[in-house]
Amino acid sequence: MMMMIMMKGLYSRSSVVFMFVLVFLMWVHVDLAEGGDTNGLDYISWEDLQVDEQRLALKYNNGVGVIIVDQNGKGHSKTVQGAVDLVPVNNRQRVKIFIYPGIYREKVLVPVNKPYISFVGKRNATASAIITWNSKSSDKGPHGRPLGTYDSATVAVDSNFFCATEVTFENSVVATPGGKGMQGVALRVNSPKAMFYRVRIKGTQDTLLDNMGNHYFLKCRIQGKVDFICGGAKSLYEKCRLQSVAENYGAIAAHHRNKPTDDSGFSFVGCTIRGTGNVYLGRAWGDYSRIIYSNCNMDGIIIPAAWSEWNHPNRKKTAVFGEYQCTGRGADRRHRVPWSKSLSYAEARPFMEKSFIDGDQWLRL
């Protein structure tokens, strides 16, 4: 009899333990489904750019893996920076920051010690969540010295495996022709690997400081006047709209590359170029600047010469500026500078695929 009682008690306790383990595993499954433990798989996927908005609206998310930004106080934070601050240092899970529609007037830093962060706005409403500020390079910083272009950024991303969708990054400074210290960065990207899908990046001079790392911009709209895509990163821009708002003269891209061994460059594939003014396709910021346009449609705003060595004649021999099968009035190469290149398919192909940015290693799209 005693043995039967002991066995019954043991069975009862085992059942409780089993049920506890089962519930725990179910909780972990829900947590990972929403938050996404990386488990050593360092890549960006479509899932990282998605939030179940209906679930958020019904308040079923319980704050698991998603931080809600709502300037009306109905989320976890009223500011985007406040949401970033809530992410644990050296986190190993994907954390999605869902930004409700609104104009968020703030500067935001996503630091290097907070990887795997997603900025997600309302689906099909890229213009509704706007992060904006108005710093320019000549403004005085906290130590009384000019900020410089680097620190003028409205949003600065230093963290690895960052991604964003349906959000607008803006610097509202309006650069005047010939003005000094008017550089105003909307988005600065120092992330080793980052992806931007259906985002808007608005400014006038040095709008996007694509500074360093491997980056993928897909179906984005980037707007500016002078060098509005600049930096030394290795980036693929696919099916983006490059919008010039120049009154007179301007330039789309200025790539910084000082040595032929630097593994960097800007590649534009299937993009459209629209807007106003007369603009260069690119300017050589560094002796070995590298910019390629493939299968792009160019409006008539492109200056016929298209490319500038930035008053450094020696760069005509070393800069890599090329075009492959572009269309539109601005794609006429009859008056291009002779040191730019009309590429063959074999020459253009390495710049046209995600392998250009080693995307097969960190993109799962």
Side-chain angles (χ1 to χ4, degrees):
M1 178 66 71
M2 182 62 69
M3 181 63 71
M4 291 178 64
I5 293 173
M6 289 177 65
M7 290 296 291
K8 183 177 181 181
L10 180 61
Y11 175 78
S12 178
R13 286 193 295 272
S14 298
S15 298
V16 170
V17 170
F18 174 77
M19 289 301 295
F20 174 79
V21 171
L22 181 61
V23 170
F24 175 75
L25 289 175
M26 290 176 64
W27 176 82
V28 169
H29 175 74
V30 172
D31 181 48
L32 298 187
E34 191 68 38
D37 190 349
T38 65
N39 285 326
L41 299 177
D42 291 335
Y43 58 83
I44 295 173
S45 69
W46 287 122
E47 184 180 351
D48 297 330
L49 292 160
Q50 297 173 359
V51 166
D52 189 335
E53 295 181 29
Q54 185 176 10
R55 188 179 181 193
L56 291 181
L58 294 173
K59 303 186 185 304
Y60 288 160
N61 67 294
N62 295 321
V64 178
V66 178
I67 298 173
I68 300 173
V69 180
D70 185 343
Q71 59 187 190
N72 297 314
K74 296 180 181 180
H76 300 98
S77 174
K78 290 184 178 181
T79 66
V80 180
Q81 185 64 60
V84 173
D85 293 344
L86 291 174
V87 178
V89 171
N90 298 321
N91 56 296
R92 288 292 300 170
Q93 287 189 339
R94 171 64 58 179
V95 179
K96 301 173 185 178
I97 296 177
F98 184 77
I99 306 172
Y100 268 103
I103 299 176
Y104 297 85
R105 300 187 186 280
E106 55 178 310
K107 295 189 74 164
V108 177
L109 170 64
V110 186
V112 67
N113 59 2
K114 295 192 177 186
Y116 313 111
I117 289 178
S118 304
F119 281 7
V120 182
K122 187 174 178 62
R123 190 177 296 111
N124 298 322
T126 307
S128 65
I130 302 171
I131 308 171
T132 182
W133 197 249
N134 61 343
S135 289
K136 58 183 183 295
S137 64
S138 57
D139 289 345
K140 294 295 193 300
H143 302 292
R145 296 187 294 271
L147 287 173
T149 302
Y150 187 86
D151 288 323
S152 71
T154 298
V155 177
V157 177
D158 295 341
S159 73
N160 205 4
F161 298 102
F162 176 90
C163 57
T165 186
E166 304 289 5
V167 178
T168 293
F169 304 101
E170 180 185 61
N171 190 312
S172 60
V173 169
V174 179
T176 56
K180 294 184 178 181
M182 300 298 292
Q183 296 91 341
V185 176
L187 174 65
R188 184 188 82 219
V189 190
N190 275 23
S191 174
K193 298 174 184 66
M195 177 185 175
F196 300 84
Y197 172 62
R198 288 175 58 91
V199 304
R200 292 197 313 170
I201 309 169
K202 296 180 63 179
T204 50
Q205 185 170 352
D206 295 4
T207 304
L208 169 59
L209 179 51
D210 194 5
N211 201 47
M212 56 190 299
N214 286 14
H215 310 141
Y216 183 40
F217 296 83
L218 176 62
K219 296 184 179 180
C220 297
R221 181 178 177 126
I222 308 166
Q223 173 183 305
K225 295 181 180 180
V226 182
D227 305 331
F228 57 91
I229 301 173
C230 61
K234 188 179 185 183
S235 295
L236 175 62
Y237 297 81
E238 188 172 1
K239 299 179 182 178
C240 294
R241 183 179 177 112
L242 314 179
Q243 186 77 24
S244 170
V245 291
E247 294 90 355
N248 297 304
Y249 290 92
I252 295 170
H255 185 253
H256 190 246
R257 183 169 176 255
N258 286 326
K259 297 180 295 184
T261 54
D262 288 346
D263 189 17
S264 61
F266 292 159
S267 177
F268 300 92
V269 179
C271 297
T272 58
I273 299 173
R274 299 290 184 267
T276 58
N278 298 281
V279 297
Y280 289 102
L281 287 176
R283 302 205 293 172
W285 183 17
D287 289 346
Y288 292 86
S289 174
R290 182 161 64 176
I291 305 171
I292 307 294
Y293 290 84
S294 304
N295 296 327
C296 294
N297 184 268
M298 304 176 179
D299 209 348
I301 63 173
I302 304 301
I303 293 171
W307 304 96
S308 168
E309 85 286 6
W310 214 325
N311 297 320
H312 289 78
N314 60 302
R315 294 179 183 173
K316 295 178 181 181
K317 300 177 182 178
T318 54
V320 181
F321 291 157
E323 300 165 60
Y324 171 72
Q325 290 199 352
C326 294
T327 59
R329 291 174 55 204
D332 186 347
R333 285 193 48 83
R334 286 178 296 175
H335 301 289
R336 293 293 196 255
V337 293
W339 44 274
S340 72
K341 298 179 179 180
S342 178
L343 302 177
S344 66
Y345 174 72
E347 292 171 322
R349 183 177 177 182
F351 300 96
M352 296 171 63
E353 300 175 351
K354 292 184 183 67
S355 57
F356 172 64
I357 53 173
D358 301 322
D360 53 333
Q361 298 177 20
W362 60 276
L363 291 171
R364 299 282 182 89
L365 305 173

